């Protein structure tokens, strides 16, 4: 049954998707002691980390979790062979090829570009901008801030500006005086991760309105859900009637045609412009139909000017970013709000204003209405949740529970249609390449955090199936080796690139991950009174023990016959371990740190982990300065990827919390930067807000290695980076975190109180923290080795 208290809160804060932002904004104005709107937004630097950034990373002209995510593209039409590589916008590039509307995991399309002079209908090459309609630009003439983007296209002397509502993209192009000005609507070319363009259409409806669609076949759909595809629809309006309209495809140019169909399809709208003449374009978007793209346009953009849309976007971002107000170091505030910005961009709604959403089979689903006739949740397109329990879901649970609820509802909608969770989802297609499907764990964490406004029995049914069943499981639902894990208690090692019902090439990491996720399912079973299920699941959560090599004191892959693999290199990635190695993954026992510590030996555990971080610090806690998403997977610790983002917090369990304080603060200071190249490591993989969320939580000094999956979740305490933080909690209460005598050198907790009562432990129960109040730390330059060690955090509950 729904959790009554949370459901009532949603009626207040979620009357509708857009109205929620208005309410949040009003609450912010009334209750925040805070920073004024322009000041908070000024701390977001969207250009941080834009070297080697992913397709969905750089979308300044968007709302939180919006469908319309507008951004410049420097190389998006190149696509990428593996389907996930960095593409779209790179700070090292010097020309822009267009402004694209759809930016999501495996979703890209609909690019517009204003030009002057000779007609060109291909984007052109980075090395030779004059080969196409792309234009050079100088970053000193670029502005990127939450909800807005502006740039001067130097080759054309055109100023391009972008903003958005949830479902509508807004463009304003300010032209020079020119007899050959135009706007190119390019819909038929590959964009980012979109993959092959299967179908593309665009046509003028009348003098100032246009509509169209593009259907693509992304690499990850082809691999993990081969019968699926991704369709994007649009309906738009231009503020000035063109003097002429022409069409083009890959076959050529049709100068007097007002319709284009097929690969490379597009239109060009011709104008004679006066000096500084502005032409605005508004584009309604949808994943279900042109009619719904128009409905989205009508609901959100009819009669709305560019400037008004921009101001509303600013207000929305202020309301959402302003839920957490921090005071202290100016540099840390830039890191904090930029990380929070990326966290709130990370997923995107796939439903329309009328509740329609795309299904895998090509039909259109319909979101239910609540008793007031409004939609109580949204349907998302979302990357896999792998690792997000150590950052994103914790942030959602803290201050953005409606986002967490949307994620849960989305997965349950997919489960009802498909019979399985999809992990990564694009238009209800399965697009996860990780393969371990942590959706069940994430939903269990939502339940234990009090987010229960859904059918909890259905959720448990889906979670149990996700953890235990493998028969007839589609490849995109992951856990293809789960049957052998349930049967043996571990996953046997198979040869290269193999995963099936008998084992996996990533056998060791899969065993560790399934051990964690079955723990989460066991805790939920216990909460729901399902004792028999609990006993089975909690036993499976000890699967990691079966791979522990007592001689090496490391996790080591095993074959089906129960023997360890030979020629074992603890630093070798991709052999038994996905995106990591044995040194990193041995610490992947978040469900029972105490048992891992006892198995290795407390002194050796502490010495080894401390020396790992000492070594990792020399390499910026990741891949050094090598610009590569996988630069750190051979190292001892790699903050640029998911598998060990919890490791620095494990000292709290081993009675040395001062080392958690030391190393989490060092990671915040040194791995995270404020430059385009040194942002999240050096060209590391930000994965839709995960690394940004980690910084937010760690800099507040709050974390849970179990992702709130305990029956009674806890919050571990670290080293808060700010003098003061004021957090509007998801239940409407307020938490203040104060760090006295805080500085870059004063990273160690000397003492702490919560609501005036001394804290002797380095943790407290989450439900206590969520009552709000004031958490005070007194900081110092040397560790207080007597603080926080009285009672370690609970391991197995």
């Amino acid at each position: 049954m729904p959790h009554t208290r949370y459901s009532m809160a949603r009626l207040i804060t979620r009357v509708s998707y857009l109205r929620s932002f208005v309410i949040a904004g009003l609450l912010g104005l009334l209750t925040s002691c805070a920073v004024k709107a322009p000041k908070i937004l000024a701390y977001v630097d969207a250009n941080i980390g834009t070297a080697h950034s992913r397709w969905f990373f750089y979308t300044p002209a968007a709302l939180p979790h919006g469908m319309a995510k507008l951004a410049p593209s420097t190389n998006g039409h190149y696509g990428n062979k593996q389907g996930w590589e960095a593409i779209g916008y790179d700070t090292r590039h010097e020309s822009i090829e267009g402004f694209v509307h759809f930016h999501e995991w495996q979703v890209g399309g609909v690019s517009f570009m204003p030009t002057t002079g000779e007609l060109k209908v291909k984007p052109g090459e980075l090395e030779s901008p004059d080969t196409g309609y792309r234009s050079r630009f100088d970053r000193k003439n670029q502005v990127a801030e939450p909800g807005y983007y502006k740039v001067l296209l130097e080759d054309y002397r055109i100023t391009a500006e972008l903003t958005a509502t949830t479902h509508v993209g807004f463009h304003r192009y300010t032209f020079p005086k020119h007899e050959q000005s135009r706007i190119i609507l390019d819909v038929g070319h590959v964009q980012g991760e979109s993959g092959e363009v299967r179908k593309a259409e665009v046509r003028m409806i009348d003098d100032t309105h246009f509509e169209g669609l593009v259907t693509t076949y992304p690499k990850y759909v082809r691999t993990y859900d081969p019968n699926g595809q991704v369709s994007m629809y649009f309906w738009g309006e231009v503020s000035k009637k063109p003097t002429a309209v022409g069409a083009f495809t890959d076959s050529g140019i049709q100068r007097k045609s007002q319709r284009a169909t097929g690969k490379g399809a597009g239109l060009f709208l011709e104008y004679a412009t006066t000096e500084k003449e502005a032409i605005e374009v508004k584009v309604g978007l949808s994943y279900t139909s042109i009619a719904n793209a128009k409905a989205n346009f009508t609901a959100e953009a009819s009669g709305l000017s560019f400037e008004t849309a921009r101001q509303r976007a600013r207000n929305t971002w202020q309301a959402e970013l302003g839920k957490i107000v921090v005071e202290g170091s100016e540099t840390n505030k830039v890191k904090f709000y930029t990380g929070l910005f990326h966290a709130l961009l990370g997923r995107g709604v796939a439903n329309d204003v009328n509740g329609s959403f795309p299904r895998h089979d090509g039909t259109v689903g319909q979101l239910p209405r609540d008793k007031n006739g409004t939609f109580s949740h949204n349907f998302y397109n979302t990357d896999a949740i792998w690792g997000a329990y150590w950052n994103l879901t914790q942030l959602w649970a803290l201050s953005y529970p409606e986002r967490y609820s949307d994620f849960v509802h989305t997965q349950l909608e997919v489960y009802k249609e498909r019979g399985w969770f999809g992990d990564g989802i694009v238009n209800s297609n399965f697009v996860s390449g990780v393969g371990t499907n942590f959706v069940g764990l994430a939903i269990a964490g939502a339940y234990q955090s009090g987010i229960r406004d859904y059918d909890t029995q259905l959720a448990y049914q889906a979670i149990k199936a996700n953890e235990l069943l493998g028969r007839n499981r589609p490849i995109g639902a992951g856990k293809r080796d789960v049957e052998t894990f349930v049967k043996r208690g571990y996953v046997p090692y198979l040869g290269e690139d193999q995963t099936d019902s008998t084992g996996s090439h990533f056998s060791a990491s899969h065993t560790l991950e399934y051990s964690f996720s079955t723990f989460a399912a066991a805790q939920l079973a216990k909460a729901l009174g399902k004792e028999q299920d609990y006993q089975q699941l909690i036993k499976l959560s000890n699967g990691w023990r079966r791979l522990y090599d007592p001689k090496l004191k490391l996790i080591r892959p095993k074959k089906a016959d129960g023997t360890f693999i030979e020629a074992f290199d603890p630093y070798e990635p991709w052999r038994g371990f996905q995106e990591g190695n044995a040194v990193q993954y041995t610490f992947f026992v978040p469900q029972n740190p105490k048992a891992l510590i006892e198995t290795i030996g407390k002194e050796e555990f502490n010495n080894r982990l401390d020396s790992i971080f000492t070594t990792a610090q020399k390499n910026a806690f990741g891949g050094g300065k090598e610009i590569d998403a996988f630069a750190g997977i051979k190292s001892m610790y790699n903050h640029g990827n998911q598998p060990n983002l919890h490791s620095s917090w494990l000292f709290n369990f081993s009675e040395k919390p001062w080392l958690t304080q030391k190393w989490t603060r060092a990671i915040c200071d040194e791995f995270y930067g404020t430059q385009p190249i040194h942002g999240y490591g050096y060209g590391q993989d930000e994965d839709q807000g995960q690394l940004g969320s980690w910084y937010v939580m760690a800099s507040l000094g709050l974390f849970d290695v179990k992702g709130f999956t305990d029956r009674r979740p806890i919050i571990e305490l670290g080293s808060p980076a700010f003098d003061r933080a004021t957090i509007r909690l998801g239940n409407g209460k307020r938490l203040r975190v104060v760090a006295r005598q805080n500085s870059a050198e004063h990273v160690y907790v000397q003492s702490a109180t919560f609501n005036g009562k001394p804290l002797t432990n380095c943790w407290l129960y989450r439900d206590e923290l969520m009552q709000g109040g004031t958490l005070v730390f007194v900081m110092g330059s040397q560790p207080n080795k007597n603080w926080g060690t009285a009672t370690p955090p609970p391991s197995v509950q």
Side-chain angles (χ1 to χ4, degrees):
M1 296 293 291
H3 189 275
T4 304
R5 179 166 57 88
Y6 183 70
S7 297
M8 289 301 295
R10 288 179 68 89
L11 288 177
I12 297 171
T13 60
R14 291 292 300 277
V15 174
S16 71
Y17 186 80
L18 290 175
R19 201 174 302 167
S20 68
F21 291 132
V22 176
I23 293 172
L26 291 173
L27 288 173
L29 290 172
L30 291 171
T31 61
S32 176
C33 49
V35 185
K36 295 182 179 179
K39 192 65 173 175
I40 270 191
L41 298 186
Y43 287 116
V44 176
D45 186 347
N47 295 306
I48 288 174
T50 48
H52 193 73
S53 61
R54 297 277 291 279
W55 173 247
F56 44 69
F57 177 80
Y58 188 73
T59 57
L63 293 189
H65 288 213
M67 178 185 293
K69 293 182 176 178
L70 277 65
S73 175
T74 61
N75 65 346
H77 87 276
Y78 286 86
N80 52 65
K81 292 181 180 180
Q82 296 187 63
W84 65 268
E85 299 103 320
I87 197 77
Y89 180 91
D90 193 313
T91 189
R92 297 166 295 177
H93 296 163
E94 297 178 346
S95 63
I96 288 171
E97 64 179 33
F99 303 101
V100 185
H101 295 74
F102 289 97
H103 285 83
E104 213 68 76
W105 166 238
Q106 299 297 293
V107 181
V110 188
S111 178
F112 289 4
M113 183 68 174
T115 69
T116 60
E118 177 189 356
L119 174 64
K120 299 174 183 177
V121 296
K122 296 289 179 66
E125 305 306 313
L126 270 171
E127 299 78 10
S128 305
D130 297 327
T131 58
Y133 55 66
R134 69 170 59 241
S135 172
R136 298 166 183 84
F137 75 110
D138 190 324
R139 283 180 173 76
K140 71 180 182 182
N141 297 319
Q142 175 183 252
V143 176
E145 57 189 36
Y148 177 71
Y149 177 82
K150 177 181 179 180
V151 69
L152 174 64
L153 300 172
E154 292 189 336
D155 291 349
Y156 305 121
R157 307 307 297 170
I158 296 171
T159 297
E161 297 172 273
L162 311 172
T163 191
T165 60
T166 300
H167 297 89
V168 182
F170 290 71
H171 307 245
R172 181 164 64 189
Y173 302 138
T174 302
F175 288 89
K177 177 178 173 56
H178 207 291
E179 294 299 313
Q180 290 180 295
S181 295
R182 70 180 59 83
I183 300 172
I184 295 172
L185 316 182
D186 188 340
V187 305
H189 286 119
V190 169
Q191 293 295 338
E193 297 172 353
S194 72
E196 171 197 356
V197 175
R198 286 186 156 184
K199 184 178 181 181
E201 298 177 7
V202 58
R203 71 183 184 98
M204 295 298 296
I205 307 167
D206 55 34
D207 288 344
T208 57
H209 294 91
F210 55 88
E211 65 182 21
L213 64 91
V214 56
T215 299
T216 65
Y217 195 38
K219 172 67 180 295
Y220 274 55
V221 172
R222 186 167 76 246
T223 301
Y224 298 102
D225 217 347
N227 293 324
Q229 58 186 17
V230 176
S231 291
M232 296 157 275
Y233 303 88
F234 57 94
W235 191 94
E237 175 183 85
V238 62
S239 63
K240 180 181 180 181
K241 175 185 175 181
T243 56
V245 175
F248 59 90
T249 65
D250 283 349
S251 301
I253 297 172
Q254 302 84 44
R255 285 192 173 272
K256 295 185 179 181
S257 176
Q258 296 201 350
R259 179 181 186 131
T261 303
K263 291 189 176 183
L267 297 179
F268 51 92
L269 284 53
E270 301 277 8
Y271 295 95
T273 54
T274 59
E275 184 67 23
K276 295 186 178 179
E277 180 177 357
I279 299 176
E280 295 187 11
V281 188
K282 297 186 285 189
V283 191
L285 307 176
S286 173
Y287 293 114
T288 60
S289 68
I290 291 174
N292 279 337
K294 182 179 180 181
N296 292 338
F297 179 101
T298 301
E300 295 179 6
S302 186
L304 192 67
S305 70
F306 182 95
E307 206 54 49
T308 301
R310 178 190 175 189
Q311 188 57 50
R312 290 185 180 181
R314 287 175 61 83
N315 294 342
T316 297
W317 276 109
Q318 167 60 23
E320 293 297 274
L321 294 170
K323 289 180 178 178
I324 308 178
V325 176
V326 294
E327 303 170 44
S329 158
E330 294 292 293
T331 297
N332 288 347
K333 282 194 277 188
V334 171
K335 294 180 184 181
F336 183 93
Y337 284 113
T338 303
L340 186 55
F341 169 71
H342 285 130
L344 295 175
L345 274 178
R347 273 70 186 154
V349 297
N351 58 283
D352 302 311
V353 294
N354 61 12
S356 298
F357 68 89
R359 290 191 182 276
H360 165 74
D361 63 5
T363 62
V364 176
Q366 183 64 38
L367 295 176
R369 295 180 184 270
D370 63 22
K371 63 182 181 181
N372 296 319
T374 58
F375 305 113
S376 58
H377 64 271
N378 291 289
F379 185 89
Y380 281 170
N381 278 336
T382 171
D383 193 3
I385 208 73
W386 192 54
Y389 35 77
W390 287 329
N391 38 65
L392 194 58
T393 63
Q394 295 192 38
L395 176 61
W396 287 347
L398 185 72
S399 292
Y400 304 91
E402 69 279 5
R403 307 294 185 193
Y404 209 162
S405 177
D406 284 345
F407 175 82
V408 174
H409 278 286
T410 296
Q411 294 291 348
L412 293 179
E413 289 287 351
V414 170
Y415 174 77
K416 286 186 283 187
E417 182 195 358
R418 309 296 303 277
W420 301 93
F421 290 140
D423 209 358
I425 295 170
V426 50
N427 289 11
S428 297
N429 297 298
F430 295 165
V431 288
S432 172
V434 177
T436 48
N437 198 327
F438 274 104
V439 171
L441 182 147
I443 294 178
Y447 181 92
Q448 306 293 19
S449 300
I451 299 169
R452 303 175 186 176
D453 61 331
Y454 46 87
D455 185 338
T456 55
Q457 293 300 322
L458 177 68
Y460 178 73
Q461 171 188 316
I463 290 168
K464 181 180 176 182
N466 197 48
E467 298 307 320
L468 300 178
L469 301 183
R471 185 168 298 179
N472 299 320
R473 190 172 186 130
I475 184 174
K479 295 185 185 288
R480 297 171 65 206
D481 47 1
V482 73
E483 281 187 349
T484 192
F485 173 75
V486 172
K487 177 182 177 181
R488 297 173 179 270
Y490 75 98
V491 177
Y493 177 79
L494 298 182
E496 191 171 352
D497 296 330
Q498 285 183 267
T499 297
D500 57 33
S501 62
T502 67
S504 175
H505 186 60
F506 301 136
S507 59
S509 59
H510 283 195
T511 298
L512 295 166
E513 291 170 322
Y514 299 167
S515 297
F516 184 23
S517 59
T518 50
F519 169 86
Q523 297 300 301
L524 181 56
K526 189 85 166 179
L528 296 175
K530 301 181 185 296
E531 185 63 27
Q532 187 174 349
D533 288 351
Y534 169 78
Q535 293 298 336
Q536 179 186 15
L537 290 161
I538 202 68
K539 182 179 180 181
L540 288 169
S541 75
N542 286 305
W544 64 275
R545 295 181 184 271
R546 296 177 179 268
L547 299 188
Y548 182 78
D549 183 340
K551 293 182 179 179
L552 298 177
K553 295 193 175 184
L554 292 169
I555 296 295
R556 182 174 178 179
K558 269 185 181 177
K559 295 178 286 188
D561 63 7
T563 61
F564 289 117
I565 63 170
E566 299 86 7
F568 175 60
D569 177 359
Y571 294 97
E572 181 182 5
W574 305 113
R575 185 173 182 245
F577 301 92
Q578 188 165 12
E579 301 189 21
N581 58 42
V583 174
Q584 296 173 8
Y585 264 105
T586 291
F587 296 98
F588 198 115
V589 189
Q591 71 275 19
N592 196 351
K594 179 182 178 181
L596 178 65
I597 293 164
E598 290 175 345
T599 301
I600 294 175
K602 185 185 297 183
E603 184 177 359
E604 182 168 345
F605 178 93
N606 284 324
N607 290 341
R608 185 198 300 181
L609 193 56
D610 189 33
S611 66
I612 282 173
F613 282 108
T614 299
T615 300
Q617 188 173 30
K618 299 172 185 177
N619 215 26
F621 297 104
K625 296 184 179 182
E626 181 183 353
I627 300 179
D628 184 342
F630 291 135
I633 63 172
K634 296 180 181 180
S635 61
M636 290 182 168
Y637 175 82
N638 179 23
H639 197 79
N641 211 344
Q642 285 87 341
N644 43 23
L645 292 179
H646 69 302
S647 299
S648 55
W649 294 87
L650 293 176
F651 295 107
N652 281 340
F653 292 84
S654 62
E655 299 182 9
K656 288 198 174 184
W658 62 90
L659 291 178
T660 281
Q661 297 154 28
K662 173 183 177 178
W663 292 120
T664 56
R665 182 75 83 92
I667 293 167
C668 286
D669 290 346
E670 298 169 36
F671 175 85
Y672 292 88
T674 57
Q675 300 300 318
I677 292 179
H678 180 201
Y680 300 89
Y682 290 80
Q684 297 287 278
D685 190 352
E686 217 285 343
D687 263 354
Q688 290 192 282
Q690 288 203 40
L691 292 179
S693 299
W694 193 96
Y695 183 90
V696 168
M697 296 303 298
S699 67
L700 293 173
L702 307 173
F703 196 81
D704 178 29
V705 299
K706 301 185 195 179
F708 301 151
T709 59
D710 271 327
R711 181 67 189 91
R712 189 183 182 192
I714 68 165
I715 288 279
E716 292 179 61
L717 304 177
S719 175
F722 295 99
D723 302 340
R724 180 182 296 270
T726 304
I727 306 165
R728 192 184 313 147
L729 301 173
N731 57 15
K733 297 183 179 181
R734 192 167 295 273
L735 173 68
R736 292 176 177 84
V737 180
V738 178
R740 294 176 180 163
Q741 301 172 28
N742 184 44
S743 71
E745 294 75 31
H746 287 203
V747 303
Y748 297 104
V749 178
Q750 306 300 299
S751 62
T753 61
F754 183 49
N755 291 334
K757 297 180 180 179
L759 288 177
T760 57
N761 295 327
C762 60
W763 63 278
L764 65 162
Y765 285 109
R766 182 181 181 275
D767 54 12
E768 297 172 341
L769 190 80
M770 293 299 287
Q771 293 305 305
T774 303
L775 177 62
V776 178
F777 297 88
V778 177
M779 309 301 291
S781 61
Q782 299 297 316
N784 177 0
K785 296 183 180 181
N786 295 317
W787 182 83
T789 60
T791 305
S795 261
V796 172
Q797 295 189 4

